[in-house]
Each structure stands twice: as structure tokens, then as C-alpha cells.
Amino acid sequence: MREIVLDTETTGISVTSGDRIIEIGCVELEDRLPTGKEYHAYINPGEVTIPEEVVQLTGLDSDFLKGFPGFEEQADALIDFLQDSPLVIHNAPFDIGFLNAEFRRMNRPEFSLSRAVDTLLMARRKFPGAPASLDALAKRFNVHMTRAKHGALLDAQILVEVYIELTGGRQRAFTFDEAQIVHEEVAKTDTRCFPRRYFPPSQDELKAFENMLTKLQNPMWRMEIGEG
């Protein structure tokens, strides 16, 4: 199963007030494990001012971002990478809302929130009442973080580890060939260690068995004398 872990950085928290995306980071998963394929883009927000607190948080300012294309010029590459895969996002309505605002400006189809797996909701259900921010979950699961600033790709990479833990941890699945080898070895072991019995029990064994039954309350089964 292919999934894409996605994170964005924005000029603010209000998409309705005109805040824009300034960075997108994505990590591809197959069967909940990273494939090594990633998508990362810095995005020029045009005339939108980047507040100082966002600069301090992300390290991204207008002088840096003006050297990159706008969202319109990078949308096709993003859509090609995402394909129709489920999107794993921490606080999905936020990121999906910003992506859809960009698509509306381009008169392009929007993403349905239903395609998103929201790890914030997962964490709140799994740990009710506990802090559920990405940083808090990373600490809970001992996910190693080395970062001076927030970044979309780095946060997506951290979210990969958090998502894996939220869904049961790392468990490598058997391939068909491996499963067949295990099956064959178990079959050999059973035959070697537990050979089929072709002779009836002795009288001593039968007496021991009957004695054991007398110690059970309402036994559900009883062996017939002479049955092997």
C-alpha cells in the first residue's frame, strides 16, 4: 500500500486571511515503510508578507523565497508525486485547507479531506488527554530529532516515525518465499519431534489418565478404553 506523509510550512495560520504555503515536504511509504523517495519544494508566496515569528520558526524569509517559483509553477510536480495515494498528515484540515486554497486560485480540482489519514486524531484517540503535538509524540516514541528550525521535509520525516509507532511499530512482513521456507521447516520439526503414535496406550497409562479425570470437575471428554 502506497501512502504519502505530507507537511507544509505557511506564512501564518489563517488560510481565509490570505496566508500562503512557503514549503512542502513529502515522504513516500510502501506498507508503512519509507521507500527513499521524497518530494521537497520551497514556494514563493508572492506579495504575502512573512511575519517575523514565522521567519524565526522556519528560517524562511522573503529574500530567500523570492528565488523560488510560486505554487502554480510547482503544482504539477507535486500532484505527480502524490498521485491518488492516501495522505498522512498531522492536523490534516490545516494542510489540506492550504493546499485547496492554492488549487482554487488555479481553478484546479481540490483534495478531499477523506483521503487524509490524520495522525493528530489518531493520537488523541490512542492517548486521550495527553499532549498530541508532533513534538510531544516524537518524545513519547523516542523519535530522534535534530533540528534548530521547523521544516516541512524534516517534519514529514519525523511524522513517518510517529505514524509507524501509532500503527503498531516496525514489523517486517514475510515475503511469500520466506513464508514457504518457514512452513516447510515447521512441518519438518513437527514430524521429527511429534511422530504419529501407532500403538495403544499401556494399562499404566490408562490408569494414570483415569486418575487425572477423577480430579477434574465435570470433564467435557473422556477417553474410551482401548482408544489410541
Side-chain angles (χ1 to χ4, degrees), residues 197-201 206 223-228:
R197 186 168 180 160
Y198 292 101
F199 50 91
L206 289 173
M223 193 175 192
E224 295 293 337
I225 301 298
E227 183 179 348

Short mmCIF file of all heavy atoms in Angstrom, two decimals, residues 197-201 206 223-228:
data_model
loop_
_atom_site.label_atom_id
_atom_site.label_comp_id
_atom_site.label_asym_id
_atom_site.label_seq_id
_atom_site.Cartn_x
_atom_site.Cartn_y
_atom_site.Cartn_z
N ARG A 197 1.60 -41.77 16.67
CA ARG A 197 1.63 -42.94 17.53
C ARG A 197 0.78 -44.06 16.91
O ARG A 197 -0.42 -43.89 16.71
CB ARG A 197 1.09 -42.58 18.91
CG ARG A 197 1.19 -43.69 19.92
CD ARG A 197 0.92 -43.15 21.31
NE ARG A 197 1.01 -44.21 22.30
CZ ARG A 197 1.19 -43.98 23.60
NH1 ARG A 197 1.30 -42.74 24.03
NH2 ARG A 197 1.26 -44.99 24.44
N TYR A 198 1.42 -45.21 16.65
CA TYR A 198 0.72 -46.33 16.02
C TYR A 198 0.44 -47.47 17.00
O TYR A 198 0.07 -48.55 16.59
CB TYR A 198 1.54 -46.86 14.85
CG TYR A 198 1.62 -45.89 13.69
CD1 TYR A 198 2.76 -45.12 13.51
CD2 TYR A 198 0.56 -45.74 12.80
CE1 TYR A 198 2.83 -44.22 12.45
CE2 TYR A 198 0.64 -44.85 11.75
CZ TYR A 198 1.77 -44.10 11.58
OH TYR A 198 1.85 -43.21 10.54
N PHE A 199 0.65 -47.28 18.29
CA PHE A 199 0.44 -48.36 19.26
C PHE A 199 -0.47 -47.83 20.37
O PHE A 199 -0.46 -46.64 20.68
CB PHE A 199 1.78 -48.84 19.83
CG PHE A 199 2.66 -47.74 20.34
CD1 PHE A 199 2.60 -47.34 21.68
CD2 PHE A 199 3.56 -47.09 19.49
CE1 PHE A 199 3.41 -46.35 22.15
CE2 PHE A 199 4.37 -46.08 19.98
CZ PHE A 199 4.30 -45.69 21.30
N PRO A 200 -1.27 -48.74 20.97
CA PRO A 200 -2.23 -48.32 22.00
C PRO A 200 -1.52 -47.98 23.31
O PRO A 200 -0.39 -48.41 23.54
CB PRO A 200 -3.13 -49.55 22.16
CG PRO A 200 -2.25 -50.69 21.79
CD PRO A 200 -1.37 -50.18 20.68
N PRO A 201 -2.19 -47.18 24.18
CA PRO A 201 -1.59 -46.87 25.48
C PRO A 201 -1.52 -48.11 26.36
O PRO A 201 -2.33 -49.03 26.24
CB PRO A 201 -2.56 -45.83 26.06
CG PRO A 201 -3.87 -46.12 25.40
CD PRO A 201 -3.52 -46.57 24.00
N LEU A 206 -3.34 -45.81 30.91
CA LEU A 206 -4.79 -45.67 31.01
C LEU A 206 -5.21 -45.36 32.44
O LEU A 206 -6.09 -44.52 32.68
CB LEU A 206 -5.48 -46.93 30.51
CG LEU A 206 -5.42 -47.18 29.00
CD1 LEU A 206 -6.00 -48.55 28.67
CD2 LEU A 206 -6.20 -46.09 28.26
N MET A 223 -11.83 -40.46 27.49
CA MET A 223 -11.28 -41.39 26.51
C MET A 223 -11.85 -42.78 26.73
O MET A 223 -11.90 -43.28 27.86
CB MET A 223 -9.76 -41.42 26.64
CG MET A 223 -9.03 -42.09 25.52
SD MET A 223 -7.26 -41.89 25.75
CE MET A 223 -6.68 -42.43 24.15
N GLU A 224 -12.27 -43.42 25.66
CA GLU A 224 -12.77 -44.78 25.77
C GLU A 224 -11.61 -45.75 25.95
O GLU A 224 -10.53 -45.58 25.39
CB GLU A 224 -13.55 -45.16 24.50
CG GLU A 224 -14.80 -44.35 24.29
CD GLU A 224 -15.85 -44.63 25.35
OE1 GLU A 224 -15.80 -45.72 25.97
OE2 GLU A 224 -16.71 -43.76 25.58
N ILE A 225 -11.85 -46.78 26.74
CA ILE A 225 -10.80 -47.78 26.98
C ILE A 225 -10.41 -48.42 25.65
O ILE A 225 -11.25 -48.80 24.85
CB ILE A 225 -11.27 -48.86 27.96
CG1 ILE A 225 -11.67 -48.25 29.30
CG2 ILE A 225 -10.20 -49.93 28.16
CD1 ILE A 225 -10.53 -47.55 30.00
N GLY A 226 -9.07 -48.48 25.42
CA GLY A 226 -8.59 -49.11 24.21
C GLY A 226 -8.45 -48.17 23.05
O GLY A 226 -7.89 -48.54 22.02
N GLU A 227 -8.94 -46.92 23.16
CA GLU A 227 -8.83 -45.98 22.03
C GLU A 227 -7.42 -45.41 22.00
O GLU A 227 -6.90 -44.97 23.03
CB GLU A 227 -9.86 -44.87 22.19
CG GLU A 227 -9.85 -43.90 21.01
CD GLU A 227 -10.89 -42.83 21.19
OE1 GLU A 227 -11.76 -42.96 22.08
OE2 GLU A 227 -10.84 -41.85 20.42
N GLY A 228 -6.79 -45.38 20.84
CA GLY A 228 -5.42 -44.92 20.75
C GLY A 228 -5.32 -43.57 20.16
O GLY A 228 -6.27 -42.99 19.75
#
